[in-house]
PDB file of all heavy atoms in Angstrom:
ATOM      1  N   ARG A 130      -0.303  11.822  -0.140  1.00  0.00           N
ATOM      2  CA  ARG A 130      -0.508  12.509   1.067  1.00  0.00           C
ATOM      3  C   ARG A 130      -1.843  12.334   1.630  1.00  0.00           C
ATOM      4  O   ARG A 130      -2.045  12.052   2.828  1.00  0.00           O
ATOM      5  CB  ARG A 130      -0.228  13.959   0.795  1.00  0.00           C
ATOM      6  CG  ARG A 130      -0.377  14.890   2.036  1.00  0.00           C
ATOM      7  CD  ARG A 130       0.140  16.285   1.783  1.00  0.00           C
ATOM      8  NE  ARG A 130      -0.560  16.983   0.709  1.00  0.00           N
ATOM      9  CZ  ARG A 130      -0.068  17.163  -0.482  1.00  0.00           C
ATOM     10  NH1 ARG A 130       1.115  16.756  -0.812  1.00  0.00           N
ATOM     11  NH2 ARG A 130      -0.740  17.770  -1.462  1.00  0.00           N
ATOM     12  N   HIS A 131      -2.879  12.402   0.739  1.00  0.00           N
ATOM     13  CA  HIS A 131      -4.249  12.272   1.196  1.00  0.00           C
ATOM     14  C   HIS A 131      -4.591  10.867   1.614  1.00  0.00           C
ATOM     15  O   HIS A 131      -5.294  10.616   2.609  1.00  0.00           O
ATOM     16  CB  HIS A 131      -5.207  12.769   0.116  1.00  0.00           C
ATOM     17  CG  HIS A 131      -5.206  14.237  -0.055  1.00  0.00           C
ATOM     18  ND1 HIS A 131      -5.691  15.055   0.915  1.00  0.00           N
ATOM     19  CD2 HIS A 131      -4.830  15.008  -1.005  1.00  0.00           C
ATOM     20  CE1 HIS A 131      -5.626  16.334   0.533  1.00  0.00           C
ATOM     21  NE2 HIS A 131      -5.098  16.308  -0.682  1.00  0.00           N
ATOM     22  N   ALA A 132      -4.022   9.870   0.892  1.00  0.00           N
ATOM     23  CA  ALA A 132      -4.285   8.461   1.348  1.00  0.00           C
ATOM     24  C   ALA A 132      -3.631   8.175   2.653  1.00  0.00           C
ATOM     25  O   ALA A 132      -4.251   7.450   3.498  1.00  0.00           O
ATOM     26  CB  ALA A 132      -3.681   7.548   0.310  1.00  0.00           C
ATOM     27  N   GLY A 133      -2.521   8.801   2.970  1.00  0.00           N
ATOM     28  CA  GLY A 133      -1.880   8.663   4.279  1.00  0.00           C
ATOM     29  C   GLY A 133      -2.720   9.218   5.343  1.00  0.00           C
ATOM     30  O   GLY A 133      -2.906   8.685   6.427  1.00  0.00           O
ATOM     31  N   LEU A 134      -3.200  10.496   5.102  1.00  0.00           N
ATOM     32  CA  LEU A 134      -4.092  11.130   6.074  1.00  0.00           C
ATOM     33  C   LEU A 134      -5.387  10.250   6.319  1.00  0.00           C
ATOM     34  O   LEU A 134      -5.848  10.152   7.425  1.00  0.00           O
ATOM     35  CB  LEU A 134      -4.453  12.477   5.651  1.00  0.00           C
ATOM     36  CG  LEU A 134      -3.325  13.541   5.735  1.00  0.00           C
ATOM     37  CD1 LEU A 134      -3.774  14.866   5.083  1.00  0.00           C
ATOM     38  CD2 LEU A 134      -3.000  13.815   7.239  1.00  0.00           C
ATOM     39  N   LEU A 135      -5.912   9.722   5.220  1.00  0.00           N
ATOM     40  CA  LEU A 135      -7.117   8.852   5.403  1.00  0.00           C
ATOM     41  C   LEU A 135      -6.845   7.617   6.213  1.00  0.00           C
ATOM     42  O   LEU A 135      -7.771   7.247   7.006  1.00  0.00           O
ATOM     43  CB  LEU A 135      -7.660   8.484   4.005  1.00  0.00           C
ATOM     44  CG  LEU A 135      -8.308   9.606   3.222  1.00  0.00           C
ATOM     45  CD1 LEU A 135      -8.582   9.188   1.807  1.00  0.00           C
ATOM     46  CD2 LEU A 135      -9.607  10.077   3.843  1.00  0.00           C
ATOM     47  N   ALA A 136      -5.690   7.048   6.098  1.00  0.00           N
ATOM     48  CA  ALA A 136      -5.349   5.859   6.884  1.00  0.00           C
ATOM     49  C   ALA A 136      -5.364   6.276   8.341  1.00  0.00           C
ATOM     50  O   ALA A 136      -5.943   5.607   9.306  1.00  0.00           O
ATOM     51  CB  ALA A 136      -4.049   5.266   6.466  1.00  0.00           C
ATOM     52  N   VAL A 137      -4.658   7.399   8.639  1.00  0.00           N
ATOM     53  CA  VAL A 137      -4.488   7.854  10.073  1.00  0.00           C
ATOM     54  C   VAL A 137      -5.808   8.290  10.689  1.00  0.00           C
ATOM     55  O   VAL A 137      -6.261   7.831  11.772  1.00  0.00           O
ATOM     56  CB  VAL A 137      -3.440   8.980  10.119  1.00  0.00           C
ATOM     57  CG1 VAL A 137      -3.432   9.569  11.459  1.00  0.00           C
ATOM     58  CG2 VAL A 137      -2.071   8.523   9.718  1.00  0.00           C
ATOM     59  N   GLU A 138      -6.547   9.108   9.900  1.00  0.00           N
ATOM     60  CA  GLU A 138      -7.789   9.642  10.410  1.00  0.00           C
ATOM     61  C   GLU A 138      -8.900   8.643  10.337  1.00  0.00           C
ATOM     62  O   GLU A 138      -9.801   8.690  11.180  1.00  0.00           O
ATOM     63  CB  GLU A 138      -8.118  10.916   9.610  1.00  0.00           C
ATOM     64  CG  GLU A 138      -7.115  11.994   9.827  1.00  0.00           C
ATOM     65  CD  GLU A 138      -7.246  13.169   8.850  1.00  0.00           C
ATOM     66  OE1 GLU A 138      -8.162  13.109   7.968  1.00  0.00           O
ATOM     67  OE2 GLU A 138      -6.474  14.172   8.936  1.00  0.00           O
ATOM     68  N   GLY A 139      -8.756   7.713   9.400  1.00  0.00           N
ATOM     69  CA  GLY A 139      -9.773   6.631   9.350  1.00  0.00           C
ATOM     70  C   GLY A 139      -9.726   5.709  10.571  1.00  0.00           C
ATOM     71  O   GLY A 139     -10.714   5.218  11.138  1.00  0.00           O
ATOM     72  N   ILE A 140      -8.471   5.428  11.137  1.00  0.00           N
ATOM     73  CA  ILE A 140      -8.326   4.690  12.363  1.00  0.00           C
ATOM     74  C   ILE A 140      -8.960   5.361  13.510  1.00  0.00           C
ATOM     75  O   ILE A 140      -9.671   4.745  14.330  1.00  0.00           O
ATOM     76  CB  ILE A 140      -6.782   4.451  12.626  1.00  0.00           C
ATOM     77  CG1 ILE A 140      -6.260   3.403  11.617  1.00  0.00           C
ATOM     78  CG2 ILE A 140      -6.619   3.942  14.067  1.00  0.00           C
ATOM     79  CD1 ILE A 140      -4.724   3.206  11.722  1.00  0.00           C
ATOM     80  N   VAL A 141      -8.730   6.665  13.632  1.00  0.00           N
ATOM     81  CA  VAL A 141      -9.327   7.493  14.703  1.00  0.00           C
ATOM     82  C   VAL A 141     -10.823   7.328  14.660  1.00  0.00           C
ATOM     83  O   VAL A 141     -11.521   7.170  15.677  1.00  0.00           O
ATOM     84  CB  VAL A 141      -8.848   8.934  14.642  1.00  0.00           C
ATOM     85  CG1 VAL A 141      -9.616   9.730  15.706  1.00  0.00           C
ATOM     86  CG2 VAL A 141      -7.372   9.083  14.871  1.00  0.00           C
ATOM     87  N   ALA A 142     -11.405   7.494  13.539  1.00  0.00           N
ATOM     88  CA  ALA A 142     -12.886   7.468  13.363  1.00  0.00           C
ATOM     89  C   ALA A 142     -13.352   6.046  13.607  1.00  0.00           C
ATOM     90  O   ALA A 142     -14.452   5.872  14.256  1.00  0.00           O
ATOM     91  CB  ALA A 142     -13.295   7.931  11.950  1.00  0.00           C
ATOM     92  N   ALA A 143     -12.662   5.043  13.162  1.00  0.00           N
ATOM     93  CA  ALA A 143     -13.123   3.647  13.309  1.00  0.00           C
ATOM     94  C   ALA A 143     -13.127   3.204  14.700  1.00  0.00           C
ATOM     95  O   ALA A 143     -13.931   2.340  15.166  1.00  0.00           O
ATOM     96  CB  ALA A 143     -12.259   2.695  12.464  1.00  0.00           C
ATOM     97  N   ARG A 144     -12.229   3.760  15.556  1.00  0.00           N
ATOM     98  CA  ARG A 144     -12.084   3.262  16.946  1.00  0.00           C
ATOM     99  C   ARG A 144     -13.120   3.830  17.883  1.00  0.00           C
ATOM    100  O   ARG A 144     -13.339   3.208  18.934  1.00  0.00           O
ATOM    101  CB  ARG A 144     -10.678   3.610  17.434  1.00  0.00           C
ATOM    102  CG  ARG A 144     -10.474   5.097  17.783  1.00  0.00           C
ATOM    103  CD  ARG A 144      -9.096   5.458  18.141  1.00  0.00           C
ATOM    104  NE  ARG A 144      -9.188   6.843  18.652  1.00  0.00           N
ATOM    105  CZ  ARG A 144      -8.085   7.552  18.873  1.00  0.00           C
ATOM    106  NH1 ARG A 144      -6.816   7.064  18.632  1.00  0.00           N
ATOM    107  NH2 ARG A 144      -8.165   8.811  19.291  1.00  0.00           N
TER     108      ARG A 144
END
Side-chain angles (χ1 to χ4, degrees):
R130 180 171 59 255
H131 286 294
L134 287 171
L135 287 170
V137 173
E138 296 168 0
I140 287 174
V141 173
R144 76 185 186 192

